[in-house]
Amino acid sequence: MERTLTQEEINTGVETLAAAIREKTGDRKIALVGIRSRGDEVAERVLNLLSQDDRELDFGILDISLYRDDYEHLRENPLLQESDIGFPVDDAHIILVDDVLFTGRTIRAALDALLDYGRPAKIELAVLIDRGHRELPIAPDYVGITLETNRLDHVLVSLEGTDGNDQVRIVRKESP
């Protein structure tokens, strides 16, 4: 069995993230840091909505490939891309942004990578989709869409800038 989220549902999720961030942070300066790949595109969409406000915003992109704890299980030659953090991380209020939160391991890796740049005053987490099933004690501060999934389900995110279209497919897998 399969379920699909539409472009409209994805846009609504991004708008929900931006509204929640706006409400909680007011007009304080924040930095959005998107996790490659797809978290950076979600972060850029949120940034575009927040930039309509009169506030200071920084933007960065974080590649966590070398910080993952499942590096040996990835394909033979994983694609390594650059991080682009062009602002001082020390004492910044950073909101890490990712497309899907599942076990929490990607966020753990992102925290390790980010802290190599300095010591932020605060780090919060924004995710387009929270699908549950954590293995680590990591919880999002901002959620665009909450999905009820089974542990073995696959949540496949496609975004316009990365994949050519906006769509989320939830492929159901039955437990053995």
Side-chain angles (χ1 to χ4, degrees):
M1 186 165 106
E2 188 171 307
R3 178 175 174 226
T4 302
L5 300 181
T6 64
Q7 179 178 21
E8 185 175 310
E9 290 170 296
I10 293 168
N11 288 342
T12 299
V14 171
E15 290 166 5
T16 299
L17 282 177
I21 291 168
R22 183 180 288 120
E23 182 179 323
K24 187 172 175 184
T25 62
D27 61 356
R28 293 187 303 275
K29 180 178 181 178
I30 59 171
L32 297 175
V33 176
I35 301 170
R36 285 194 196 270
S37 70
R38 293 181 191 82
D40 53 346
E41 188 171 342
V42 173
E44 190 170 358
R45 292 179 187 194
V46 171
L47 178 77
N48 288 338
L49 292 172
L50 293 177
S51 66
Q52 297 169 8
D53 304 342
D54 186 24
R55 68 184 302 169
E56 275 191 82
L57 297 164
D58 284 322
F59 179 74
I61 299 172
L62 194 62
D63 180 43
I64 63 163
S65 300
L66 296 176
Y67 291 85
R68 296 179 60 104
D69 63 2
D70 61 351
Y71 188 72
E72 66 276 1
H73 298 295
L74 298 175
R75 56 194 156 132
E76 253 178 67
N77 294 312
L79 178 63
L80 300 179
Q81 298 177 323
E82 276 188 62
S83 291
D84 181 10
I85 310 278
F87 59 89
V89 168
D90 287 331
D91 297 320
H93 178 171
I94 294 178
I95 299 176
L96 269 176
V97 182
D98 205 7
D99 60 340
V100 178
L101 178 57
F102 181 27
T103 63
R105 293 183 180 279
T106 296
I107 303 308
R108 186 225 35 96
L111 291 168
D112 287 346
L114 185 61
L115 292 173
D116 279 350
Y117 284 89
R119 185 180 177 147
K122 183 175 193 171
I123 302 174
E124 293 182 303
L125 176 60
V127 295
L128 177 60
I129 297 169
D130 182 356
R131 61 161 296 185
H133 307 287
R134 280 331 158 261
E135 294 175 0
L136 299 174
I138 291 174
D141 299 281
Y142 310 98
V143 177
I145 302 166
T146 301
L147 291 178
E148 296 294 324
T149 65
N150 294 319
R151 174 90 171 101
L152 298 177
D153 292 348
H154 294 283
V155 176
L156 308 170
V157 177
S158 299
L159 296 176
E160 181 71 36
T162 306
D163 307 294
N165 68 322
D166 280 353
Q167 172 182 283
V168 176
R169 288 180 35 232
I170 301 100
V171 180
R172 303 281 183 197
K173 299 289 183 179
E174 298 301 320
S175 298

Short mmCIF file of all heavy atoms in Angstrom, two decimals, residues 131-173:
data_model
loop_
_atom_site.label_atom_id
_atom_site.label_comp_id
_atom_site.label_asym_id
_atom_site.label_seq_id
_atom_site.Cartn_x
_atom_site.Cartn_y
_atom_site.Cartn_z
N ARG A 131 8.21 11.53 11.27
CA ARG A 131 7.57 10.23 11.07
C ARG A 131 7.71 9.30 12.26
O ARG A 131 7.30 8.16 12.22
CB ARG A 131 8.08 9.57 9.81
CG ARG A 131 9.58 9.29 9.83
CD ARG A 131 9.99 8.26 8.84
NE ARG A 131 9.38 6.98 9.17
CZ ARG A 131 9.62 5.86 8.53
NH1 ARG A 131 10.45 5.86 7.51
NH2 ARG A 131 9.05 4.74 8.88
N GLY A 132 8.31 9.79 13.35
CA GLY A 132 8.40 8.99 14.57
C GLY A 132 9.51 7.96 14.52
O GLY A 132 10.37 8.00 13.65
N HIS A 133 9.50 7.05 15.50
CA HIS A 133 10.42 5.91 15.60
C HIS A 133 11.86 6.31 15.94
O HIS A 133 12.81 5.82 15.34
CB HIS A 133 10.39 5.07 14.31
CG HIS A 133 9.02 4.64 13.93
ND1 HIS A 133 8.33 3.67 14.62
CD2 HIS A 133 8.18 5.09 12.95
CE1 HIS A 133 7.13 3.51 14.06
NE2 HIS A 133 7.01 4.37 13.06
N ARG A 134 12.03 7.18 16.92
CA ARG A 134 13.37 7.62 17.33
C ARG A 134 14.19 6.49 17.94
O ARG A 134 13.68 5.66 18.66
CB ARG A 134 13.29 8.70 18.38
CG ARG A 134 13.02 10.07 18.09
CD ARG A 134 13.36 10.76 16.84
NE ARG A 134 12.45 11.87 16.82
CZ ARG A 134 11.33 11.90 16.14
NH1 ARG A 134 11.04 10.96 15.30
NH2 ARG A 134 10.51 12.89 16.25
N GLU A 135 15.48 6.55 17.68
CA GLU A 135 16.46 5.69 18.34
C GLU A 135 17.32 6.50 19.30
O GLU A 135 18.02 5.94 20.12
CB GLU A 135 17.35 5.01 17.30
CG GLU A 135 16.59 4.02 16.42
CD GLU A 135 17.44 3.44 15.31
OE1 GLU A 135 18.64 3.78 15.20
OE2 GLU A 135 16.88 2.63 14.54
N LEU A 136 17.29 7.82 19.14
CA LEU A 136 18.05 8.73 19.99
C LEU A 136 17.09 9.75 20.59
O LEU A 136 16.05 10.05 20.00
CB LEU A 136 19.12 9.46 19.15
CG LEU A 136 20.17 8.56 18.49
CD1 LEU A 136 21.07 9.38 17.58
CD2 LEU A 136 21.00 7.84 19.53
N PRO A 137 17.44 10.33 21.73
CA PRO A 137 16.54 11.29 22.38
C PRO A 137 16.60 12.67 21.71
O PRO A 137 17.12 13.63 22.25
CB PRO A 137 17.06 11.33 23.82
CG PRO A 137 18.52 11.01 23.70
CD PRO A 137 18.62 10.04 22.56
N ILE A 138 16.05 12.73 20.51
CA ILE A 138 16.05 13.96 19.72
C ILE A 138 14.60 14.26 19.34
O ILE A 138 13.90 13.39 18.84
CB ILE A 138 16.93 13.80 18.46
CG1 ILE A 138 18.40 13.71 18.91
CG2 ILE A 138 16.70 14.94 17.49
CD1 ILE A 138 19.37 13.42 17.81
N ALA A 139 14.18 15.50 19.59
CA ALA A 139 12.81 15.90 19.28
C ALA A 139 12.84 17.23 18.53
O ALA A 139 13.65 18.11 18.84
CB ALA A 139 12.00 16.05 20.57
N PRO A 140 11.95 17.40 17.55
CA PRO A 140 11.92 18.67 16.81
C PRO A 140 11.23 19.77 17.59
O PRO A 140 10.33 19.52 18.38
CB PRO A 140 11.11 18.30 15.56
CG PRO A 140 10.20 17.21 16.02
CD PRO A 140 10.98 16.43 17.05
N ASP A 141 11.69 20.99 17.37
CA ASP A 141 11.05 22.17 17.94
C ASP A 141 9.94 22.68 17.02
O ASP A 141 8.99 23.31 17.47
CB ASP A 141 12.09 23.29 18.14
CG ASP A 141 13.18 22.86 19.10
OD1 ASP A 141 12.91 22.90 20.32
OD2 ASP A 141 14.27 22.46 18.64
N TYR A 142 10.09 22.41 15.72
CA TYR A 142 9.14 22.85 14.72
C TYR A 142 8.87 21.70 13.75
O TYR A 142 9.82 21.09 13.25
CB TYR A 142 9.69 24.05 13.92
CG TYR A 142 10.24 25.16 14.78
CD1 TYR A 142 11.60 25.27 15.02
CD2 TYR A 142 9.38 26.10 15.35
CE1 TYR A 142 12.10 26.30 15.82
CE2 TYR A 142 9.88 27.12 16.14
CZ TYR A 142 11.25 27.21 16.37
OH TYR A 142 11.74 28.22 17.16
N VAL A 143 7.59 21.42 13.47
CA VAL A 143 7.21 20.33 12.57
C VAL A 143 6.20 20.85 11.56
O VAL A 143 5.21 21.49 11.93
CB VAL A 143 6.60 19.15 13.35
CG1 VAL A 143 6.13 18.05 12.41
CG2 VAL A 143 7.58 18.59 14.37
N GLY A 144 6.44 20.58 10.28
CA GLY A 144 5.50 20.96 9.25
C GLY A 144 4.39 19.95 9.08
O GLY A 144 3.21 20.30 8.99
N ILE A 145 4.74 18.65 9.04
CA ILE A 145 3.79 17.57 8.82
C ILE A 145 4.16 16.41 9.74
O ILE A 145 5.32 16.01 9.78
CB ILE A 145 3.84 17.08 7.35
CG1 ILE A 145 3.54 18.22 6.37
CG2 ILE A 145 2.90 15.90 7.13
CD1 ILE A 145 3.90 17.90 4.92
N THR A 146 3.18 15.87 10.44
CA THR A 146 3.40 14.68 11.25
C THR A 146 2.75 13.50 10.54
O THR A 146 1.56 13.57 10.19
CB THR A 146 2.80 14.84 12.65
OG1 THR A 146 3.42 15.97 13.28
CG2 THR A 146 3.05 13.61 13.51
N LEU A 147 3.53 12.46 10.29
CA LEU A 147 3.02 11.26 9.62
C LEU A 147 3.03 10.09 10.58
O LEU A 147 4.01 9.89 11.30
CB LEU A 147 3.89 10.89 8.42
CG LEU A 147 3.88 11.81 7.21
CD1 LEU A 147 4.84 11.28 6.15
CD2 LEU A 147 2.48 11.94 6.63
N GLU A 148 1.96 9.32 10.57
CA GLU A 148 1.92 8.06 11.30
C GLU A 148 2.49 7.00 10.36
O GLU A 148 1.93 6.75 9.29
CB GLU A 148 0.48 7.71 11.68
CG GLU A 148 -0.15 8.71 12.64
CD GLU A 148 0.51 8.71 14.01
OE1 GLU A 148 0.92 7.64 14.48
OE2 GLU A 148 0.63 9.80 14.59
N THR A 149 3.61 6.42 10.74
CA THR A 149 4.22 5.39 9.91
C THR A 149 4.54 4.16 10.76
O THR A 149 4.63 4.25 11.98
CB THR A 149 5.54 5.88 9.27
OG1 THR A 149 6.51 6.12 10.30
CG2 THR A 149 5.32 7.13 8.44
N ASN A 150 4.71 3.06 10.07
CA ASN A 150 5.27 1.87 10.71
C ASN A 150 6.78 1.97 10.61
O ASN A 150 7.32 2.65 9.74
CB ASN A 150 4.77 0.60 10.01
CG ASN A 150 3.28 0.41 10.17
OD1 ASN A 150 2.74 0.64 11.24
ND2 ASN A 150 2.63 0.02 9.09
N ARG A 151 7.46 1.29 11.48
CA ARG A 151 8.93 1.35 11.53
C ARG A 151 9.58 1.01 10.19
O ARG A 151 10.55 1.60 9.78
CB ARG A 151 9.42 0.38 12.63
CG ARG A 151 10.91 0.22 12.71
CD ARG A 151 11.48 1.25 13.66
NE ARG A 151 12.88 0.99 13.91
CZ ARG A 151 13.87 1.65 13.31
NH1 ARG A 151 13.61 2.60 12.46
NH2 ARG A 151 15.12 1.38 13.59
N LEU A 152 9.03 0.04 9.48
CA LEU A 152 9.64 -0.44 8.23
C LEU A 152 9.20 0.33 6.99
O LEU A 152 9.72 0.09 5.90
CB LEU A 152 9.36 -1.93 8.05
CG LEU A 152 9.93 -2.85 9.13
CD1 LEU A 152 9.51 -4.30 8.87
CD2 LEU A 152 11.44 -2.72 9.22
N ASP A 153 8.24 1.24 7.13
CA ASP A 153 7.79 2.03 5.99
C ASP A 153 8.94 2.88 5.44
O ASP A 153 9.87 3.23 6.16
CB ASP A 153 6.65 2.97 6.39
CG ASP A 153 5.37 2.23 6.72
OD1 ASP A 153 5.27 1.03 6.44
OD2 ASP A 153 4.46 2.89 7.29
N HIS A 154 8.83 3.23 4.17
CA HIS A 154 9.78 4.14 3.55
C HIS A 154 9.06 5.46 3.26
O HIS A 154 7.97 5.45 2.69
CB HIS A 154 10.33 3.56 2.24
CG HIS A 154 11.17 2.35 2.43
ND1 HIS A 154 12.47 2.40 2.87
CD2 HIS A 154 10.89 1.04 2.25
CE1 HIS A 154 12.95 1.18 2.96
NE2 HIS A 154 12.02 0.32 2.59
N VAL A 155 9.69 6.57 3.65
CA VAL A 155 9.16 7.90 3.34
C VAL A 155 10.13 8.51 2.33
O VAL A 155 11.28 8.82 2.66
CB VAL A 155 9.05 8.77 4.61
CG1 VAL A 155 8.58 10.17 4.25
CG2 VAL A 155 8.09 8.12 5.61
N LEU A 156 9.67 8.64 1.10
CA LEU A 156 10.51 9.08 -0.01
C LEU A 156 10.13 10.50 -0.41
O LEU A 156 9.04 10.72 -0.95
CB LEU A 156 10.35 8.12 -1.20
CG LEU A 156 10.54 6.64 -0.87
CD1 LEU A 156 10.13 5.76 -2.04
CD2 LEU A 156 11.98 6.37 -0.45
N VAL A 157 11.03 11.43 -0.12
CA VAL A 157 10.77 12.85 -0.38
C VAL A 157 11.42 13.26 -1.70
O VAL A 157 12.61 13.00 -1.92
CB VAL A 157 11.31 13.73 0.77
CG1 VAL A 157 11.11 15.21 0.47
CG2 VAL A 157 10.65 13.35 2.09
N SER A 158 10.65 13.89 -2.55
CA SER A 158 11.16 14.51 -3.77
C SER A 158 10.83 15.99 -3.69
O SER A 158 9.70 16.36 -3.37
CB SER A 158 10.48 13.92 -5.01
OG SER A 158 10.72 12.55 -5.14
N LEU A 159 11.83 16.83 -3.97
CA LEU A 159 11.61 18.28 -3.98
C LEU A 159 12.04 18.85 -5.32
O LEU A 159 13.00 18.36 -5.94
CB LEU A 159 12.37 18.95 -2.83
CG LEU A 159 11.91 18.55 -1.42
CD1 LEU A 159 12.79 19.20 -0.37
CD2 LEU A 159 10.45 18.92 -1.19
N GLU A 160 11.35 19.90 -5.74
CA GLU A 160 11.54 20.49 -7.06
C GLU A 160 13.01 20.76 -7.39
O GLU A 160 13.50 20.36 -8.44
CB GLU A 160 10.72 21.78 -7.16
CG GLU A 160 10.81 22.48 -8.50
CD GLU A 160 10.10 21.72 -9.61
OE1 GLU A 160 9.06 21.12 -9.35
OE2 GLU A 160 10.61 21.75 -10.75
N GLY A 161 13.72 21.45 -6.50
CA GLY A 161 15.10 21.85 -6.79
C GLY A 161 16.07 20.68 -6.87
O GLY A 161 17.05 20.73 -7.62
N THR A 162 15.81 19.64 -6.14
CA THR A 162 16.71 18.48 -6.09
C THR A 162 16.28 17.39 -7.06
O THR A 162 17.11 16.77 -7.72
CB THR A 162 16.73 17.89 -4.66
OG1 THR A 162 17.06 18.93 -3.74
CG2 THR A 162 17.75 16.78 -4.53
N ASP A 163 14.96 17.16 -7.15
CA ASP A 163 14.46 16.00 -7.87
C ASP A 163 13.56 16.33 -9.07
O ASP A 163 13.15 15.43 -9.79
CB ASP A 163 13.64 15.12 -6.91
CG ASP A 163 14.44 14.77 -5.66
OD1 ASP A 163 15.44 14.06 -5.79
OD2 ASP A 163 14.05 15.23 -4.57
N GLY A 164 13.19 17.60 -9.24
CA GLY A 164 12.37 17.98 -10.37
C GLY A 164 10.87 18.04 -10.09
O GLY A 164 10.11 18.50 -10.94
N ASN A 165 10.44 17.57 -8.91
CA ASN A 165 9.02 17.69 -8.55
C ASN A 165 8.87 17.60 -7.04
O ASN A 165 9.77 17.13 -6.35
CB ASN A 165 8.18 16.60 -9.23
CG ASN A 165 8.49 15.21 -8.68
OD1 ASN A 165 9.63 14.88 -8.38
ND2 ASN A 165 7.48 14.38 -8.57
N ASP A 166 7.75 18.10 -6.54
CA ASP A 166 7.43 18.05 -5.11
C ASP A 166 6.46 16.90 -4.87
O ASP A 166 5.33 16.92 -5.40
CB ASP A 166 6.77 19.35 -4.65
CG ASP A 166 7.76 20.47 -4.39
OD1 ASP A 166 8.97 20.21 -4.44
OD2 ASP A 166 7.32 21.59 -4.14
N GLN A 167 6.90 15.95 -4.08
CA GLN A 167 6.05 14.80 -3.76
C GLN A 167 6.68 14.03 -2.60
O GLN A 167 7.89 13.96 -2.48
CB GLN A 167 5.95 13.89 -4.98
CG GLN A 167 5.25 12.58 -4.76
CD GLN A 167 5.25 11.74 -6.00
OE1 GLN A 167 4.48 12.00 -6.91
NE2 GLN A 167 6.10 10.74 -6.07
N VAL A 168 5.83 13.50 -1.75
CA VAL A 168 6.31 12.59 -0.70
C VAL A 168 5.52 11.30 -0.85
O VAL A 168 4.29 11.30 -0.84
CB VAL A 168 6.08 13.18 0.71
CG1 VAL A 168 6.49 12.17 1.79
CG2 VAL A 168 6.85 14.47 0.89
N ARG A 169 6.23 10.21 -1.01
CA ARG A 169 5.60 8.89 -1.12
C ARG A 169 5.88 8.12 0.17
O ARG A 169 7.01 8.04 0.61
CB ARG A 169 6.16 8.11 -2.31
CG ARG A 169 5.69 8.65 -3.63
CD ARG A 169 6.22 7.89 -4.85
NE ARG A 169 6.36 6.46 -4.65
CZ ARG A 169 7.49 5.77 -4.91
NH1 ARG A 169 8.57 6.40 -5.36
NH2 ARG A 169 7.54 4.49 -4.72
N ILE A 170 4.83 7.55 0.72
CA ILE A 170 4.96 6.68 1.89
C ILE A 170 4.66 5.27 1.40
O ILE A 170 3.53 4.96 1.01
CB ILE A 170 3.99 7.08 3.02
CG1 ILE A 170 4.23 8.53 3.47
CG2 ILE A 170 4.16 6.14 4.22
CD1 ILE A 170 3.27 9.49 2.88
N VAL A 171 5.70 4.46 1.37
CA VAL A 171 5.57 3.09 0.91
C VAL A 171 5.46 2.21 2.13
O VAL A 171 6.40 2.11 2.93
CB VAL A 171 6.77 2.67 0.02
CG1 VAL A 171 6.61 1.23 -0.46
CG2 VAL A 171 6.93 3.63 -1.14
N ARG A 172 4.31 1.57 2.29
CA ARG A 172 4.03 0.74 3.47
C ARG A 172 4.71 -0.61 3.34
O ARG A 172 4.63 -1.26 2.31
CB ARG A 172 2.52 0.53 3.64
CG ARG A 172 1.74 1.82 3.76
CD ARG A 172 1.83 2.39 5.12
NE ARG A 172 1.00 3.58 5.21
CZ ARG A 172 1.14 4.46 6.16
NH1 ARG A 172 2.02 4.30 7.10
NH2 ARG A 172 0.38 5.53 6.19
N LYS A 173 5.38 -1.00 4.41
CA LYS A 173 6.00 -2.33 4.49
C LYS A 173 5.39 -3.04 5.68
O LYS A 173 5.30 -2.48 6.77
CB LYS A 173 7.51 -2.22 4.70
CG LYS A 173 8.24 -1.51 3.57
CD LYS A 173 8.28 -2.36 2.34
CE LYS A 173 9.09 -1.65 1.26
NZ LYS A 173 9.20 -2.37 0.05
#
